[in-house]
């Protein structure tokens, strides 16, 4: 009986000692952070939280204090309610960069993503998104102007004489060397995709009937060449006769419908042309007649010689 009472007494005293030790160690449990709040590093290092002790809370990373006290106190084994209210930090508009645009439809608060784009003719270099972090916007993008490959044309020249590549909006002009004709546009622009618009032209060797020009155009050229050359050259009175074999480039072909305007001299020329033809034909006929006449006369004379001996001449 005695031993049982002893044991009970000993257990009681052990319990009392335990309670005393625990009480001495601290009244409150280790505190925890709340919504968007954390314990300060200093508070985290503490292990014992006796009655009336105060610990400090702070806003989590990416948050800033909106209102309330940072302190909670241990009273009657319990922490007082935290009053600290934190809100997301606002990164604001991303810092402007040349030719750069931002889509901030998602906002500019902590964690928000902003899409980065460049103006027309510029391309992004670097990440195309920025994120609002505790330290500010992430990403170091820039907008570089779009460039085209250096222009090139075989058997011709371009107006581009810079060592750098042409950039967006730069205009290039092309010319062909002597004996070549330009097919395509003689002026192109470096567009926003880094291509030439329209495509770069080519220089084709001039032939009597270039495959790339329409046949009707060629027909007109051939028909008008002689008259046109005669009329234009006769003004300078240098060469009234022009060979049709002379090389004629498309650009020097006179507009058919504009021809009559400059023909006050040309009309005379065409008239003399047809006159000459007629004269030649008539001359040929006359000459033929004369030759036949002489031939007949000669024959007649021979016959006379044969029948009457030597003529009085
Ligand atoms: C945290 O916020 C949620 C809703 O925003 C709320 O229901 C909860 O009670 C808050 N907790 C604390 C500890 O404040
Ligand atoms: C708290 O400690 C963590 C890691 O131990 C450190 O990254 C952080 O910067 C500290 N905070 C402050 C406010 O000193
Ligand atoms: C084309 O370029 C060549 C060599 O660069 C030059 O000699 C020539 O004069 C140029 N021709 C034209 C029409 O620009
Ligand atoms: C490119 O040309 C267009 C049209 O001429 C003009 O509106 C634009 O400002 C130019 N852009 C640049 C970067 O030169
Ligand atoms: C030719 O001239 C007429 C009137 O002078 C003009 O309407 C037409 O566009 C011209 N054609 C060409 C191909 O130059």
């Amino acid at each position: 009986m005695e031993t049982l009472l002893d044991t009970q007494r000993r257990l009681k005293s052990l319990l009392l000692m335990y309670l005393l030790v625990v009480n001495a160690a601290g009244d409150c449990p280790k505190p925890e952070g709340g919504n968007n709040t954390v314990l300060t590093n200093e508070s985290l290092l503490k292990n014992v939280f006796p009655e009336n002790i105060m610990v400090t809370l702070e806003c989590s990373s990416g948050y800033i204090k909106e209102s309330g006290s940072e302190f909670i106190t241990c009273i009657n084994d319990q922490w007082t309610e935290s009053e600290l209210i934190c809100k997301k930090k606002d990164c604001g508009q991303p810092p402007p960069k040349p030719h750069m645009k931002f889509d901030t439809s998602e906002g500019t608060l902590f964690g928000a993503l902003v899409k980065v784009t460049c103006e027309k003719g510029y391309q992004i270099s670097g990440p195309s998104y920025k994120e609002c972090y505790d330290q500010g916007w992430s990403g170091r993008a820039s907008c570089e102007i779009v460039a085209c490959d250096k222009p090139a044309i075989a058997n011709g020249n371009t107006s581009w004489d810079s060592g750098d590549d042409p950039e967006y909006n730069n205009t290039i002009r092309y010319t062909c060397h002597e004996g070549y004709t330009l097919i395509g546009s003689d002026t192109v622009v470096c567009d926003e995709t880094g291509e030439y618009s329209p495509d770069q032209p080519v220089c084709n060797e001039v032939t009597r009937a270039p495959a790339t020009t329409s046949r009707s155009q060629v027909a007109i050229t051939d028909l008008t060449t002689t008259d046109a050359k005669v009329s234009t050259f006769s003004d300078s009175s240098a060469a009234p006769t022009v060979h049709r074999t002379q090389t004629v480039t498309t650009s020097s072909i006179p507009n058919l419908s504009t021809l009559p305007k400059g023909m006050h001299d040309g009309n005379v020329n065409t008239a003399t042309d047809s006159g000459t033809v007629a004269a030649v034909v008539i001359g040929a006929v006359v000459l033929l007649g004369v030759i036949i006449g002489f031939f007949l006369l000669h024959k007649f004379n021979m016959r006379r010689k044969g029948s009457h001996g030597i003529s009085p001449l």
Side-chain angles (χ1 to χ4, degrees), residues 156-158 175-177:
N157 281 19
T158 81
T175 51
C176 289
H177 294 154

Side-chain angles (χ1 to χ4, degrees), residues 7-25:
T7 321
Q8 278 183 336
R9 221 177 280 138
R10 277 170 86 173
L11 274 171
K12 271 183 187 168
S13 59
L14 270 174
L15 189 65
L16 196 67
M17 273 172 68
Y18 173 75
L19 285 170
L20 280 169
V21 167
V22 168
N23 271 341

Side-chain angles (χ1 to χ4, degrees), residues 126-137:
S128 59
Y129 277 92
K130 284 182 178 291
E131 184 174 354
C132 177
Y133 284 125
D134 185 41
Q135 310 299 324
W137 290 108

Side-chain angles (χ1 to χ4, degrees), residues 217 253-259 261:
Q217 173 85 37
I253 301 164
N255 188 334
L256 245 192
S257 52
T258 59
L259 257 180
K261 284 184 199 159

Side-chain angles (χ1 to χ4, degrees), residues 84-141:
L84 180 63
I85 295 173
C86 297
K87 63 176 181 186
K88 279 183 179 176
K89 150 191 188 136
D90 189 349
C91 281
Q93 286 295 312
K97 289 233 182 124
H99 312 292
M100 194 177 277
K101 294 185 288 187
F102 304 107
D103 173 7
T104 54
S105 57
E106 217 182 274
T108 58
L109 298 181
F110 178 65
L113 288 175
V114 161
K115 189 164 169 49
V116 180
T117 52
C118 293
E119 283 171 6
K120 187 182 177 187
Y122 291 82
Q123 61 189 354
I124 192 162
S125 164
S128 59
Y129 277 92
K130 284 182 178 291
E131 184 174 354
C132 177
Y133 284 125
D134 185 41
Q135 310 299 324
W137 290 108
S138 71
R140 288 167 170 273

Side-chain angles (χ1 to χ4, degrees), residues 53-184:
I53 196 175
M54 288 204 312
V55 297
T56 316
L57 295 174
E58 63 184 6
C59 294
S60 314
S61 170
Y63 290 79
I64 53 165
K65 178 179 167 176
E66 188 174 13
S67 64
S69 163
E70 289 94 340
F71 302 107
I72 52 173
T73 314
C74 179
I75 295 170
N76 295 331
D77 307 350
Q78 283 195 325
W79 293 107
T80 53
E81 204 60 46
S82 163
E83 290 168 352
L84 180 63
I85 295 173
C86 297
K87 63 176 181 186
K88 279 183 179 176
K89 150 191 188 136
D90 189 349
C91 281
Q93 286 295 312
K97 289 233 182 124
H99 312 292
M100 194 177 277
K101 294 185 288 187
F102 304 107
D103 173 7
T104 54
S105 57
E106 217 182 274
T108 58
L109 298 181
F110 178 65
L113 288 175
V114 161
K115 189 164 169 49
V116 180
T117 52
C118 293
E119 283 171 6
K120 187 182 177 187
Y122 291 82
Q123 61 189 354
I124 192 162
S125 164
S128 59
Y129 277 92
K130 284 182 178 291
E131 184 174 354
C132 177
Y133 284 125
D134 185 41
Q135 310 299 324
W137 290 108
S138 71
R140 288 167 170 273
S142 61
C143 287
E144 314 288 350
I145 194 160
V146 168
C148 285
D149 289 339
K150 275 198 192 64
I153 189 162
N155 306 311
N157 281 19
T158 81
S159 60
W160 190 255
D161 52 7
S162 163
D164 300 326
D165 287 346
E167 294 175 342
Y168 170 59
N169 261 7
N170 283 156
T171 302
I172 318 285
R173 283 177 199 84
Y174 297 81
T175 51
C176 289
H177 294 154
E178 195 77 27
Y180 291 85
T181 186
L182 189 121
I183 308 299

Side-chain angles (χ1 to χ4, degrees), residues 39-42 44 58:
L39 282 168
T40 58
N41 285 356
E42 189 195 343
L44 277 170
E58 63 184 6

